[in-house]
Amino acid sequence: MDTIFALASAQGKAGVSVIRLSGPQALPTASKISGGALPTVGRALRVLSDQSGERIDEALVLTFAGPNSFTGEDTVEFQVHGSTSVVSAMLALLAEFDGVRLADPGEFTRRALENGKLDLSQVEALADLIDAETEAQRIQAQTVLAGGLGALAERWRVDLIRAASLIEVTIDFADEEVPVDVTDEVTALLAGVVSDLQPQITGVQIAERIRSGFEVAIVGTPNVGKSTLLNALAGREAAITSEYAGTTRDVIEVRMDLAGLPVTLLDTAGLRETDDHVEGIGIELAKKRAETADLRVFLAEDRNDIDLPIRQQDIVLKPKADLLSGVPGAISGKTGQGVDDLVREIGRILKDRAGKAGIATRARHRDAMKAASDRLMSAQEILKRGPEFYDIAAEDMRSAIRSLETLVGRVGVENLLDEIFSSFCLGK
């Protein structure tokens, strides 16, 4: 197997840059560059030189012996001064050694998966952690990276193997008297796993929103102050405002961290009847985005002005509070009146929804758990038909086990790996 290397820290100038080396030639190669033998595990301050003996840099060299490393292989990290010239010289030098090459995107993490240091759900969580922008995203990624989903999948797998084994015994001894009726225990095991799966399946949609961001649409008729409110919430001039109706023709999006959650605010075109073809397209787009948004903030002087059904947690406010006197439920993006209250209310609603998120975070996880749940519910029904159908129930259980094993990458995920690892940087 090749030894691979890459810059593990960000590109560009920095106080310190980290270059990672992993594989069978990692320690011998690093020792040659460092001017002498390195400890198998430990750290050393060394002068790094090229093969002609010319000094490149003085660096802290960290060594990790496999399998007790991130990749499960012998690994070396060079902490060099973060100038582009030093980094370039080091990368060029490493490429000169036989059996040492530049890593492919995500190859370090892929080796960690192949060597049993991470399961597939942890690999996905690592990518999410690297991309995390908010506290909720960080916490969610860390939960899965710590093995939360893998531990759940393993517990379900153990219970289902136990259930399938009991049924197999009944099948194998169909012509003999089995000393104990296993039906009650099998039924209880299946019911327990199905009960655990349901909230996780339901919670994936919320978990995906924590990963990708909740959408909050500001909706109303023209000139009620939607764009002004968006600018007030964003803290900058994100949308054009004017006294002319129909100024906003497209959906304007602003990404922000709100109550620790990723939120995309949507400023939509004013809803009204119009003969303007372009404005009409904007209005139709506004309606579509408002329908799919997680939460809508309606600005309306009268609820009858709202041309969309109001959902339970939608927020309805009176616009232009600066022109009103003591009217409850009013807001003004121009003066800021009511804006803080709106931020708190949006945060409260979305945090309440985020609390319903499960450990599973991706559509792939949901599909695998749904397939397992469907097979287990089928097995439950078949068990009721009597021992002569137990072989069919056993096959449903085995199918459920295979579905759950795809959660952690044990089976059936080869076609996913290239896509997953392509999203990683070279040094990860």
Side-chain angles (χ1 to χ4, degrees), residues 63 71 117 148 208 322 416:
T63 52
T71 61
K117 304 299 292 184
E208 283 187 305
D322 51 297
L416 294 173

mmCIF file with all atom_site columns, all heavy atoms in Angstrom, residues 63 71 117 148 208 322 416:
data_model
loop_
_atom_site.group_PDB
_atom_site.id
_atom_site.type_symbol
_atom_site.label_atom_id
_atom_site.label_alt_id
_atom_site.label_comp_id
_atom_site.label_asym_id
_atom_site.label_entity_id
_atom_site.label_seq_id
_atom_site.pdbx_PDB_ins_code
_atom_site.Cartn_x
_atom_site.Cartn_y
_atom_site.Cartn_z
_atom_site.occupancy
_atom_site.B_iso_or_equiv
_atom_site.pdbx_formal_charge
_atom_site.auth_seq_id
_atom_site.auth_comp_id
_atom_site.auth_asym_id
_atom_site.auth_atom_id
_atom_site.pdbx_PDB_model_num
ATOM 1  N N   . THR A 1 63  ? 4.698   11.695 15.925 1.00 0.00 ? 63  THR A N   1
ATOM 2  C CA  . THR A 1 63  ? 4.624   10.352 15.357 1.00 0.00 ? 63  THR A CA  1
ATOM 3  C C   . THR A 1 63  ? 3.571   9.526  16.088 1.00 0.00 ? 63  THR A C   1
ATOM 4  O O   . THR A 1 63  ? 3.448   9.599  17.316 1.00 0.00 ? 63  THR A O   1
ATOM 5  C CB  . THR A 1 63  ? 5.987   9.642  15.449 1.00 0.00 ? 63  THR A CB  1
ATOM 6  O OG1 . THR A 1 63  ? 6.459   9.702  16.798 1.00 0.00 ? 63  THR A OG1 1
ATOM 7  C CG2 . THR A 1 63  ? 7.002   10.317 14.537 1.00 0.00 ? 63  THR A CG2 1
ATOM 8  N N   . THR A 1 71  ? -5.709  7.069  11.072 1.00 0.00 ? 71  THR A N   1
ATOM 9  C CA  . THR A 1 71  ? -5.924  6.166  9.934  1.00 0.00 ? 71  THR A CA  1
ATOM 10 C C   . THR A 1 71  ? -5.794  4.702  10.298 1.00 0.00 ? 71  THR A C   1
ATOM 11 O O   . THR A 1 71  ? -6.181  3.829  9.526  1.00 0.00 ? 71  THR A O   1
ATOM 12 C CB  . THR A 1 71  ? -4.909  6.462  8.814  1.00 0.00 ? 71  THR A CB  1
ATOM 13 O OG1 . THR A 1 71  ? -3.584  6.250  9.331  1.00 0.00 ? 71  THR A OG1 1
ATOM 14 C CG2 . THR A 1 71  ? -5.037  7.884  8.305  1.00 0.00 ? 71  THR A CG2 1
ATOM 15 N N   . LYS A 1 117 ? -11.278 2.223  12.166 1.00 0.00 ? 117 LYS A N   1
ATOM 16 C CA  . LYS A 1 117 ? -11.172 3.310  13.142 1.00 0.00 ? 117 LYS A CA  1
ATOM 17 C C   . LYS A 1 117 ? -12.458 4.139  13.204 1.00 0.00 ? 117 LYS A C   1
ATOM 18 O O   . LYS A 1 117 ? -12.750 4.757  14.219 1.00 0.00 ? 117 LYS A O   1
ATOM 19 C CB  . LYS A 1 117 ? -9.997  4.225  12.798 1.00 0.00 ? 117 LYS A CB  1
ATOM 20 C CG  . LYS A 1 117 ? -8.661  3.511  12.680 1.00 0.00 ? 117 LYS A CG  1
ATOM 21 C CD  . LYS A 1 117 ? -8.262  2.828  13.983 1.00 0.00 ? 117 LYS A CD  1
ATOM 22 C CE  . LYS A 1 117 ? -7.942  3.827  15.073 1.00 0.00 ? 117 LYS A CE  1
ATOM 23 N NZ  . LYS A 1 117 ? -7.460  3.155  16.303 1.00 0.00 ? 117 LYS A NZ  1
ATOM 24 N N   . GLY A 1 148 ? -22.582 7.540  18.367 1.00 0.00 ? 148 GLY A N   1
ATOM 25 C CA  . GLY A 1 148 ? -23.954 7.392  18.843 1.00 0.00 ? 148 GLY A CA  1
ATOM 26 C C   . GLY A 1 148 ? -24.827 6.546  17.933 1.00 0.00 ? 148 GLY A C   1
ATOM 27 O O   . GLY A 1 148 ? -25.515 5.628  18.392 1.00 0.00 ? 148 GLY A O   1
ATOM 28 N N   . GLU A 1 208 ? -31.750 16.784 9.372  1.00 0.00 ? 208 GLU A N   1
ATOM 29 C CA  . GLU A 1 208 ? -31.275 17.292 8.076  1.00 0.00 ? 208 GLU A CA  1
ATOM 30 C C   . GLU A 1 208 ? -31.363 18.814 8.035  1.00 0.00 ? 208 GLU A C   1
ATOM 31 O O   . GLU A 1 208 ? -30.500 19.482 7.454  1.00 0.00 ? 208 GLU A O   1
ATOM 32 C CB  . GLU A 1 208 ? -32.100 16.689 6.938  1.00 0.00 ? 208 GLU A CB  1
ATOM 33 C CG  . GLU A 1 208 ? -31.721 15.258 6.599  1.00 0.00 ? 208 GLU A CG  1
ATOM 34 C CD  . GLU A 1 208 ? -32.448 14.769 5.364  1.00 0.00 ? 208 GLU A CD  1
ATOM 35 O OE1 . GLU A 1 208 ? -33.695 14.829 5.337  1.00 0.00 ? 208 GLU A OE1 1
ATOM 36 O OE2 . GLU A 1 208 ? -31.768 14.337 4.416  1.00 0.00 ? 208 GLU A OE2 1
ATOM 37 N N   . ASP A 1 322 ? -43.787 51.750 13.336 1.00 0.00 ? 322 ASP A N   1
ATOM 38 C CA  . ASP A 1 322 ? -43.378 53.143 13.563 1.00 0.00 ? 322 ASP A CA  1
ATOM 39 C C   . ASP A 1 322 ? -44.468 54.128 13.185 1.00 0.00 ? 322 ASP A C   1
ATOM 40 O O   . ASP A 1 322 ? -44.452 55.292 13.619 1.00 0.00 ? 322 ASP A O   1
ATOM 41 C CB  . ASP A 1 322 ? -42.092 53.448 12.771 1.00 0.00 ? 322 ASP A CB  1
ATOM 42 C CG  . ASP A 1 322 ? -42.214 53.054 11.313 1.00 0.00 ? 322 ASP A CG  1
ATOM 43 O OD1 . ASP A 1 322 ? -42.388 51.839 11.039 1.00 0.00 ? 322 ASP A OD1 1
ATOM 44 O OD2 . ASP A 1 322 ? -42.125 53.944 10.443 1.00 0.00 ? 322 ASP A OD2 1
ATOM 45 N N   . LEU A 1 416 ? -21.425 4.266  -2.575 1.00 0.00 ? 416 LEU A N   1
ATOM 46 C CA  . LEU A 1 416 ? -21.524 5.569  -1.907 1.00 0.00 ? 416 LEU A CA  1
ATOM 47 C C   . LEU A 1 416 ? -20.160 6.166  -1.568 1.00 0.00 ? 416 LEU A C   1
ATOM 48 O O   . LEU A 1 416 ? -20.033 7.371  -1.397 1.00 0.00 ? 416 LEU A O   1
ATOM 49 C CB  . LEU A 1 416 ? -22.305 5.426  -0.586 1.00 0.00 ? 416 LEU A CB  1
ATOM 50 C CG  . LEU A 1 416 ? -23.782 5.047  -0.685 1.00 0.00 ? 416 LEU A CG  1
ATOM 51 C CD1 . LEU A 1 416 ? -24.308 4.798  0.714  1.00 0.00 ? 416 LEU A CD1 1
ATOM 52 C CD2 . LEU A 1 416 ? -24.574 6.141  -1.371 1.00 0.00 ? 416 LEU A CD2 1
#
